[in-house]
Structures are given as structure tokens and as C-alpha cells.
Amino acid sequence: MTTTATAGDASPAIVARLSRLDRFLPLWIGLAMAGGLLLGRLVPGLDTALEAVQIGGISLPIAIGLLIMMYPVLAKVRYDRLDTVTGDRRLLLSSLLLNWILGPALMFTLAWVFLADHAEYRTGLIIVGLARCIAMVIIWNDLACGDREAAAVLVALNSMFQVLAFGLLGWFYLSVLPGWLNLSDARLEVSGRDIAVNVLIFLGIPLLAGYLTRRVGERTKGRTWYESRFLPTIGPVALYGLLFTIVILFALQGDAITSQPWDVALIAVPLLVYFALMWAGSFTLGRAIGLDYPRTTTLAFTAAGNNFELAIAVAIGTFGVTSGQALAGVVGPLIEVPVLVALVYVSLALRRRLLSNTTSARAATTSGDRP
């Protein structure tokens, strides 16, 4: 994204600035789901063929799709700008608190409130809550006039921290905490090592590839070429990988979806509540601690967004491609994309209001200073 919205951009022009693929992403995801269901019915024995070769416990076609959709996003991060955020302790500490303490705890709570009788979906949502933002949040932040560099740095920090923390948090929320709270049939014997291995494969590999691509690309061609020519070329590949993965997932999830069509809606409800609460709470916190609008917006979107690619990968690798946990992960992007687009409009409306209040206050001060 190379353009920046102005205060009056809370209009259809916001969506118009997205590429056709981005603009209609919810539609493409819906079509990918439908196509996957048809594929599963038309091709008998598809599950056996897909699982013939595996990487990290995941069938090779799905593994390739997951790696492809992670790489372009991580190639966009400016890894040499970490100091622009690490110097702002308010933003950094707030982001770490929201992403790694409040976010997972909120999703754990909502999963138990809404899905207490659906153990697999509940676990899938908890995994989504543990997978912090690293993907399309940069697009939503840019459209909402957030701080672009701060967003990129927070994404990079989340990516690095996730490799170290995801396995430990998964073990805590899926095995330890339910036991402490005496939640019936909630304690799951999930190996923190198995989850960590999946994180290292499906986050560590594309993270390293993205870092090396940027480093080599900028050294040989320069940053201008890399960001104006190379990144726009590989950008759509991430969405193609996502759509390909969804087609395969829904081909294997067909029986569960068609036999229980309301389950998708059941999973969607706590996701909607989660995105709304995380964004609103984060925006309020940003203003309360004195951040300006761009960094407040960045804080809100990076806290509300989730890395559904990683959640899908971990759910498949840990519980299986046809599991309820994997289905909960797949529903994630279908809900997140339209909700965060709507929150872009909300952000710009708040920005207009904040600018209007600032202008009025300055005018009043100037008027009061006149003799």
C-alpha cells in the first residue's frame, strides 16, 4: 500500500483502494469453501491421497499452501526498524500485554462461555487466540492511517516472540489452566513440543525466508526497487496460498460441515465478540496512555488481528486435518476480514472526530488570546 487516507476518507474510496483480490476476499473465501465442499464430494479417496506425503504431520499440499501464504507477508517487514518501536515503551509494553496476556485470556474465556459443550471447537478458538497478528493487519492499519513503521515492527516482534512463546502458551491454556480451574473434560494432553515444532516449521521457515529475501533484495537492487517492484509482485501469492489451503481443508471437512451447517455460525459468534472487544479495548488503552492517533490505531489493529494461518497450521498438525479444531481455524479468516474492514471505517470516523476536536480547541485558544 503506497497511499495514505485523509481525515475525510471514511467512504467507499477506502475499499476501492484495495486490489480486486483484497476487496472481495470474503467472497473468494466463501467460493473457496464451496469449491472445497464440491471437490470433496466429487473426488472419492481424496483424503488418502492428500495424506500420503506429510510435513510435520500435515499433508504436503496443505503444508505448501501454508508456507506460501506466510512468506510474502514476512518479506514485507522492515527488520532494520525495530528501534522505532522499542524506544516507545508505552506502545511496546501495551502491545505485549494485549497480545500475549489479555488476548489469549479473553479468547479462552469466550471459548468456554460460548462453546462449553463443544470441546473441539473450543480448543480451536483457543489456538486462534494464541496466534497473534502477523498478516493482513498491516493492510488494515495502513487504510486506517495508522503508524506504518510501528505496525511493521510490532508484526516482526510478534513473529519472533511467537516462535518462543506459542508452544508454552498452548501447553498452559490447553492442559494446565483447565486443570487448575477444575473444568470438566477440559484437560487435554497436548505436547508443547509438538506445537512448537509446527510453529518453527510454519512460522520459522517463512520468517527466515522473508528476512533473507529483504536483506538480499535491498543489497542487490535497493529498497525502492524491493518495495515498489518486488513486494507488489509477490503480495497476491499469500492470498492465493490461503485460498488454495481453504479449498483443500473444506474438501476434507465436507462431511462435518454439511452434516452440521450451524456449527460455522456457532464458531463465528465468539469470534465476533473477541474482535470487537479487543479492538475497542486496545484503542481505549492507547488513548488513555497518551498515544497519538496513528500509534493508537496501530496498537488496536495489531491486538485485534490474529494469525489464522498459523492457527490453521497448528490445529492441523496437532489434531488432524478433519478435526473440529481445524474447522474453527478455517472459520477465522471468514469472520476476521469483514470485521476488520468495518473497523477501518470506525477508526477513520474517530480520526475525523479527534482532528475536529483538536481544531476546535486550537481555535478557542487562539480566540481567547486575542485582546
Side-chain angles (χ1 to χ4, degrees):
M1 307 297 295
T2 58
T3 58
T4 302
T6 62
D9 278 343
S11 68
I14 300 170
V15 176
R17 282 165 39 214
L18 288 168
S19 69
R20 182 173 298 178
L21 184 62
D22 292 334
R23 194 185 316 165
F24 298 106
L25 183 57
L27 173 62
W28 306 142
I29 291 176
L31 291 176
M33 291 177 176
L37 292 176
L38 290 175
L39 184 63
R41 289 188 172 275
L42 295 176
V43 182
L46 181 63
D47 54 346
T48 301
L50 290 174
E51 294 177 0
V53 181
Q54 298 185 349
I55 296 179
I58 299 178
S59 67
L60 181 60
I62 294 178
I64 292 174
L66 292 169
L67 290 171
I68 287 175
M69 67 175 155
M70 295 288 284
Y71 162 70
V73 176
L74 293 170
K76 294 179 181 179
V77 176
R78 292 183 176 182
Y79 296 93
D80 60 342
R81 299 291 180 88
L82 290 176
D83 58 338
T84 64
V85 170
T86 54
D88 188 340
R89 293 186 178 181
R90 295 172 304 169
L91 178 62
L92 179 61
L93 293 177
S94 297
S95 179
L96 291 175
L97 173 67
L98 290 166
N99 274 289
W100 298 104
I101 297 179
L102 295 182
L106 175 61
M107 187 68 89
F108 178 88
T109 302
L110 293 174
W112 270 99
V113 169
F114 288 95
L115 299 171
D117 297 327
H118 301 270
E120 290 191 355
Y121 299 155
R122 184 179 66 232
T123 300
L125 281 188
I126 292 172
I127 292 174
V128 171
L130 298 177
R132 309 314 303 167
C133 71
I134 70 165
M136 292 188 70
V137 66
I138 293 177
I139 296 177
W140 314 135
N141 175 79
D142 196 46
L143 289 173
C145 298
D147 187 317
R148 187 178 300 171
E149 290 304 320
V153 171
L154 289 180
V155 163
L157 290 176
N158 275 335
S159 301
M160 298 172 190
F161 198 81
Q162 202 151 212
V163 173
L164 302 174
F166 191 97
L168 179 61
L169 289 175
W171 168 74
F172 176 76
Y173 278 103
L174 296 177
S175 295
V176 177
L177 185 58
W180 288 354
L181 299 177
N182 294 319
L183 297 173
S184 62
D185 75 358
R187 187 177 178 85
L188 298 176
E189 295 301 326
V190 179
S191 169
R193 178 181 177 278
D194 290 343
I195 294 178
V197 168
N198 280 286
V199 174
L200 287 172
I201 293 174
F202 296 105
L203 178 59
I205 291 175
L207 177 62
L208 178 62
Y211 171 78
L212 292 177
T213 300
R214 175 173 280 277
R215 188 173 180 85
V216 173
E218 290 187 354
R219 278 189 173 184
T220 57
K221 295 286 189 176
R223 173 162 290 185
T224 299
W225 173 87
Y226 183 84
E227 297 192 343
S228 64
R229 300 286 297 277
F230 180 73
L231 289 182
T233 300
I234 67 170
V237 173
L239 298 182
Y240 296 143
L242 171 62
L243 296 176
F244 170 78
T245 304
I246 289 176
V247 168
I248 302 301
L249 285 172
F250 271 75
L252 299 176
Q253 290 276 2
D255 290 339
I257 295 171
T258 55
S259 62
Q260 296 177 314
W262 289 106
D263 284 11
V264 172
L266 188 67
I267 296 169
V269 173
L271 283 170
L272 287 169
V273 176
Y274 171 83
F275 292 133
L277 289 178
M278 282 299 294
W279 188 91
S282 302
F283 196 94
T284 301
L285 175 63
R287 297 299 298 171
I289 63 177
L291 297 179
D292 58 13
Y293 170 84
R295 292 208 163 183
T296 295
T297 299
T298 297
L299 180 66
F301 277 98
T302 53
N306 285 82
N307 181 5
F308 48 78
E309 298 96 333
L310 178 60
I312 292 171
V314 171
I316 295 172
T318 307
F319 300 99
V321 71
T322 59
S323 65
Q325 290 88 343
L327 177 61
V330 171
V331 173
L334 182 64
I335 305 302
E336 179 173 347
V337 171
V339 169
L340 292 188
V341 168
L343 289 173
V344 168
Y345 286 88
V346 174
S347 296
L348 291 176
L350 289 172
R351 180 174 184 263
R352 268 204 328 276
R353 183 174 179 179
L354 291 172
L355 290 177
S356 177
N357 290 340
T358 300
T359 302
S360 299
R362 288 176 178 173
T365 301
T366 302
S367 176
D369 288 341
R370 293 173 182 171

